[in-house]
Amino acid sequence: MKLRIAIVVLGGSIFAGLTGLAWALPAATASVCPSCYGFERAAPQVYVEKGLASEQAEAIVKFVDEGRQRVRKFWGPRQASPRILVCSDSACFERLGGGRRRGMSIFDFVAVLSPRGSDPVIAAHELSMIELNKRVGLLGFAREAIPVWFNEGIAMYASDDLRYLGPEGAGDRCLIAPSAPLPSGLFDWGRHALTDQHLYAKAACATSRWITAHGGPGSAVEVVSKVGAGVPFDEAVR
């Protein structure tokens, strides 16, 4: 009886959290009804703003496909199948709660790209984070079972983001090594990001070095699978 009550309470908490998220972030509701927010389907799971010229829509589909290929190269067959909303102007992205970011994602069901993030790198970054979230599950996502620095680091590695990493094949791809433990929680990460302009490069460095030392991307994918199965992160990375 106590277990049943706990499950009901937990389910209610998750539902309330998701309902609040949908209210707070228009992107969540836009993923359910893209046309309600001025989007139309350009390809399976890819939505662009209505009235966009066909050649512009085709260019968007092309870079999204390139981003998906980068994610597939790192993760293998994808488990997540999110809707991808691509804004062609800043007003659209701000309307969905994006602010000044290049892109954003919500759990495993939607990625939104701004005009500044309309390229394979940012698409792959957001899709990698979605793939990780899918594999750790809703509860793992909610309790931040994977440290943010590792999640972001994987996303930068998978997307081959040369803003924060040296070129592939360069041996040590680290550009800026962290001199202190990196923030693991979302709140702390956001707070540090306001004052440390090299935070993302440090996370990319720490993650790329871990991946290299442990035999390649497959080792990171295995860590995520273990965490998704309930193994604590600190134990999974040993």
Side-chain angles (χ1 to χ4, degrees):
M1 184 65 177
K2 289 183 179 179
L3 176 61
R4 187 178 303 170
I5 292 173
I7 292 173
V8 171
V9 170
L10 178 60
S13 298
I14 292 173
F15 176 78
L18 291 177
T19 302
L21 183 63
W23 177 84
L25 294 177
T29 48
S31 70
V32 177
C33 182
S35 63
C36 299
Y37 285 78
F39 290 95
E40 61 185 1
R41 184 179 181 273
Q45 298 294 77
V46 181
Y47 293 81
V48 301
E49 289 188 78
K50 291 178 181 177
L52 206 63
S54 58
E55 59 270 21
Q56 291 177 291
E58 290 169 5
I60 287 172
V61 171
K62 181 179 179 180
F63 81 67
V64 168
D65 283 343
E66 290 178 13
R68 285 170 169 164
Q69 289 171 18
R70 296 186 186 204
V71 171
R72 194 178 301 115
K73 179 181 177 182
F74 185 95
W75 287 98
R78 291 182 298 117
Q79 296 182 16
S81 183
R83 284 188 164 174
I84 303 166
L85 311 179
V86 183
C87 286
S88 296
D89 59 64
S90 57
C92 162
F93 193 61
E94 291 174 4
R95 188 166 61 249
L96 294 182
R100 300 176 62 185
R101 291 174 287 182
R102 294 176 184 269
M104 63 179 177
S105 56
I106 301 176
F107 185 45
D108 69 347
F109 58 86
V110 63
V112 186
L113 304 178
S114 78
R116 296 172 56 241
S118 293
D119 60 58
V121 172
I122 305 304
H125 185 111
E126 299 303 333
L127 293 175
S128 176
M129 298 191 81
I130 282 176
E131 188 66 26
L132 185 148
N133 293 339
K134 174 71 174 180
R135 295 181 187 220
V136 300
L138 181 56
L139 289 179
F141 169 76
R143 64 184 178 86
E144 298 182 330
I146 298 282
V148 175
W149 68 264
F150 196 70
N151 190 345
E152 290 282 1
I154 285 177
M156 286 179 278
Y157 190 104
S159 64
D160 195 27
D161 194 334
L162 299 182
R163 295 175 301 167
Y164 305 114
L165 286 168
E168 188 175 1
D172 187 0
R173 302 185 67 183
C174 178
L175 297 181
I176 302 176
S179 58
L182 294 165
S184 60
L186 189 59
F187 177 80
D188 283 342
W189 178 271
R191 183 168 57 85
H192 280 79
L194 292 174
T195 57
D196 186 353
Q197 62 179 330
H198 300 304
L199 184 61
Y200 284 84
K202 292 174 182 177
C205 172
T207 305
S208 66
R209 284 180 170 176
W210 187 94
I211 289 173
T212 299
H214 290 80
S219 58
V221 174
E222 184 179 357
V223 165
V224 173
S225 296
K226 288 180 178 179
V227 173
V231 178
F233 176 78
D234 289 344
E235 179 179 337
V237 295
R238 291 174 188 163

